[in-house]
Amino acid sequence: MPTNTPAAAAPVVSSTEQEEIASVPARMVKAWAAHDADAFADLFTPDGTMILPGVYQKGRDAIRAFMTVAFAGPYQGTRVTGTPIDLKPLADGAVALLTTGGVLAAGATELADASAIRASWILVKREGRWQLAVYQNCPRD
């Protein structure tokens, strides 16, 4: 096996695409603030996956159903925050976005350390827009 083969050049993500990609977390924050399970699920591809501690949901419909129940129950009155910290092009039309943020308890103005997370977003360009193929988060600390 040759050892001097040059690595493939990483795909380039234009500044316009970077802005579009960075807008996905903002759309999630907005959907969550409205407790809008439809808008939240619409961030995902039809077969997208959402992994949270103790939660695995596959498919836009399953994510919508989960969030409908969660917004009426344990997430009622909560908000989320998220800030992109890194963007890694994976292939043409596919990126990994890393964020930090978390769930703000109902009435809270600051994020509690226990609620802080880091998240990985695998986004793909489908139907002319960036959509989540995989979202996964874990506790920050």
Side-chain angles (χ1 to χ4, degrees):
M1 166 177 0
T3 59
N4 59 357
T5 306
V12 175
V13 178
S14 71
S15 59
T16 300
E17 285 184 314
Q18 288 179 29
E19 289 175 19
E20 291 171 7
I21 292 162
S23 78
V24 177
R27 291 193 342 252
M28 182 179 279
V29 167
K30 183 177 178 182
W32 193 295
H35 286 51
D36 184 341
D38 290 326
F40 187 94
D42 191 49
L43 296 169
F44 289 82
T45 61
D47 63 344
T49 303
M50 180 177 74
I51 303 169
L52 311 172
V55 174
Y56 174 84
Q57 296 295 326
K58 182 166 176 70
R60 194 182 281 160
D61 293 338
I63 293 166
R64 178 182 297 107
F66 174 83
M67 293 307 293
T68 297
V69 172
F71 285 147
Y75 294 153
Q76 188 172 26
T78 63
R79 294 176 295 123
V80 292
T81 181
T83 304
I85 56 174
D86 199 5
L87 177 68
K88 298 178 181 292
L90 302 173
D92 288 336
V95 299
L97 176 66
L98 306 177
T99 61
T100 186
V103 178
L104 292 145
T109 57
E110 292 186 29
L111 183 62
D113 284 342
S115 299
I117 59 118
R118 287 194 181 94
S120 300
W121 312 54
I122 305 300
L123 294 128
V124 293
K125 187 111 183 215
R126 300 281 187 274
E127 301 166 352
R129 65 187 176 103
W130 288 97
Q131 299 178 42
L132 276 163
V134 178
Y135 173 85
Q136 183 274 328
N137 77 41
C138 62
R140 180 193 67 197
D141 300 325

